[in-house]
Amino acid sequence: MTRDSAPISVNAVLAELFTAAADTCRDRSPLTGRLLDDAADDLRRGGVTARIMAGSERDREGTVPGLRFAGAVHRLVLEGRAQGLAKHYPTVGGSPHLPTLWQDALPALEEHADLLRQRVQATVVQTNEPGRSAPLYGGLLVAAQEAAKAAGRSVPFCVRLLEIGASGGLNLRPHHVGYRLEDRVLGDEDSLLVLDPEWTGRPPADLGHRLRVVGRAGCDLNPVDVSTEDGRLHLSSFVWADQLERWRRLRDALDLAATDPVRVDRSAGPEWLAQRLARVERDVLTVVWHSVVWQYVSPADRAMGRAVLADAAAKATPTTPLALLVFEPRRVDGPDAEYRFELLLKLWPAGISLNLGHGEGHGTPFTWDVTRWE
Ligand SMILES: C[S@@+](CC[C@H](N)C(=O)[O-])C[C@H]1O[C@@H](n2cnc3c(N)ncnc32)[C@H](O)[C@@H]1O
């Protein structure tokens, strides 16, 4: 046994998880990678990290304990409770110096070990990436126009957007975001949030048409209330602190959200969705949307969700059409069997099923490349 409560072998398993998490972020966030590598070494020695992670030693790999630790540390910095460490964090004006990162982290980890332990145990890794509004916006234009064509209408449908796994709801206002292309800005060019979607190709739609959203609702197992400081800090803490572009995007999205609040209900998807879909709206396209959620949903909830959607799809009519639009990682066939993030669209009763393209997990860049979705 170490001087901490967990046997060294348990901390060694946890250390492996920290190293695995470092492997996934080292290239894109050297700061987070180094923090996790140093923390893994500290766990093996039974240092302060073992005290902070006490009670989380047997957490499943999928809960990514290392990223919960890194998020809790980032939050300390954002709250101004880790002055000696802040100089390494660009999100508070610092600049990382990796060789001295750990020695500067140690005093804050020691001083706030109890608080960090509570937070690591109480939180789930939760991001809400506003960049995904760009493929969503293009996908909604296609959906609204294709549904109209199929119904013999010349004007695209208005949209009711229902999001499963909405987190803080930052992607529930795609019509209030600006999307800067080479030759113009789509959406709301005066928005507090203007994205550079970095599109290759274009959505197969008339981009001159304005997206009209007449209803929005979202649910999440762990909804984040971005109208509170706690909610904003929670989402902010999981942005890797040396990814300033994502940081600025999140800041802008939070500012936009403050001007246009949308509540996110606490619910696992299926029941919530069934209630929403039971209310049919004439002359409106109802779009069920989720991004980077499916992998977290239990098999039972997946099956229920599919059944709820199939039931609603069977009842959809040309005047009350239904769409499923998703941006999720899918395994790509081939020798490397990699995953890539694809935008998929189904429309009922039109019977349209399209793979609209693929992009980076954060939604930008994105390549529009339309094929049938089998
Ligand atoms: C990686 S985040 C993505 C958040 C958001 N969709 C986005 O693209 O920014 C995954 C979200 O799914 C939520 N989640 C996981 N399982 C869920 C379920 N069964 N029902 C609803 N939300 C779920 C999590 O709480 C988390 O907020």
Side-chain angles (χ1 to χ4, degrees):
M1 298 279 282
T2 65
R3 67 186 166 86
D4 303 292
S5 56
I8 195 82
S9 59
V10 180
N11 281 333
V13 172
L14 199 52
E16 288 309 308
L17 293 188
F18 271 51
T19 304
D23 289 343
T24 64
C25 64
R26 207 174 280 115
D27 292 348
R28 289 167 293 156
S29 174
L31 176 68
T32 312
R34 182 60 180 257
L35 181 76
L36 291 176
D37 279 332
D38 288 340
D41 291 342
D42 191 55
L43 273 169
R44 292 187 187 97
R45 289 191 298 269
V48 63
T49 312
R51 220 153 63 236
I52 292 166
M53 297 307 294
S56 302
E57 303 94 335
R58 295 177 196 280
D59 288 358
R60 281 186 307 112
E61 184 176 357
T63 67
V64 210
L67 292 186
R68 278 154 46 215
F69 170 84
V73 174
H74 188 194
R75 184 168 172 153
L76 272 191
V77 171
L78 294 173
E79 290 169 331
R81 298 190 201 220
Q83 295 298 339
L85 183 57
K87 61 174 173 277
H88 297 279
Y89 278 68
T91 47
V92 289
S95 171
H97 180 63
L98 301 184
T100 54
L101 174 68
W102 189 249
Q103 75 192 44
D104 289 332
L106 275 175
L109 300 184
E110 291 286 356
E111 183 184 347
H112 299 290
D114 289 342
L115 177 63
L116 287 167
R117 184 174 60 250
Q118 286 164 20
R119 286 184 173 171
V120 166
Q121 286 184 15
T123 50
V124 292
V125 175
Q126 208 170 21
T127 49
N128 192 185
E129 179 48 64
R132 294 179 191 137
S133 283
L136 168 63
Y137 183 82
L140 288 174
L141 284 181
V142 177
Q145 294 180 25
E146 289 299 322
K149 264 191 240 163
R153 298 178 176 217
S154 55
V155 178
F157 275 97
C158 305
V159 164
R160 172 172 64 138
L161 185 58
L162 302 178
E163 181 173 13
I164 310 286
S167 186
L170 297 183
N171 289 317
L172 277 170
R173 46 190 76 76
H175 53 318
H176 291 325
V177 175
Y179 306 92
R180 196 182 293 115
L181 306 182
E182 291 83 14
D183 51 342
R184 59 179 139 169
V185 179
L186 300 180
D188 182 353
E189 60 185 314
D190 298 320
S191 175
L192 291 170
L193 174 63
V194 179
L195 298 171
D196 288 315
E198 297 178 64
W199 283 349
T200 299
R202 293 289 182 263
D206 180 347
L207 301 184
H209 273 289
R210 231 183 159 77
L211 176 68
R212 289 174 303 153
V213 176
V214 293
R216 303 166 285 174
C219 79
D220 198 286
L221 266 185
N222 300 289
V224 181
D225 182 352
V226 295
S227 72
T228 66
E229 181 63 7
D230 183 61
R232 287 191 293 271
L233 273 170
H234 177 66
L235 290 185
S236 303
S237 69
F238 290 113
V239 174
W240 294 333
D242 43 0
Q243 295 196 319
L244 280 182
E245 197 188 325
R246 281 186 69 208
W247 176 257
R248 289 190 199 104
R249 202 154 65 195
L250 180 65
R251 298 281 94 192
D252 291 349
L254 290 170
D255 288 347
L256 177 60
T259 68
D260 174 39
V262 184
R263 205 186 71 214
V264 178
D265 297 322
R266 182 178 300 279
S267 169
E271 278 176 23
W272 179 89
L273 188 60
Q275 281 169 7
R276 292 294 173 294
L277 291 176
R279 210 186 66 227
V280 173
E281 290 191 29
R282 251 185 105 77
D283 299 322
V284 171
L285 171 66
T286 297
V287 180
V288 176
W289 153 255
H290 56 82
S291 60
V292 198
V293 171
W294 202 235
Q295 69 209 71
Y296 304 107
V297 177
S298 69
D301 278 344
R302 286 185 186 195
M304 267 172 71
R306 282 196 183 102
V308 166
L309 196 69
D311 185 49
K315 293 176 185 152
T317 70
T319 50
T320 61
L322 176 70
L324 172 67
L325 184 63
V326 307
F327 183 62
E328 295 285 347
R330 292 213 314 162
R331 192 182 283 278
V332 180
D333 290 339
D336 297 332
E338 285 183 351
Y339 284 87
R340 72 176 185 182
F341 289 80
E342 297 185 332
L343 183 67
L344 307 171
L345 171 68
K346 272 188 195 288
L347 277 171
W348 298 277
I352 290 171
S353 185
L354 298 173
N355 182 330
L356 293 174
H358 51 89
E360 291 291 317
H362 295 142
T364 65
F366 186 88
T367 299
W368 295 96
D369 176 20
V370 183
T371 55
R372 267 196 60 77
W373 174 19
E374 304 299 341

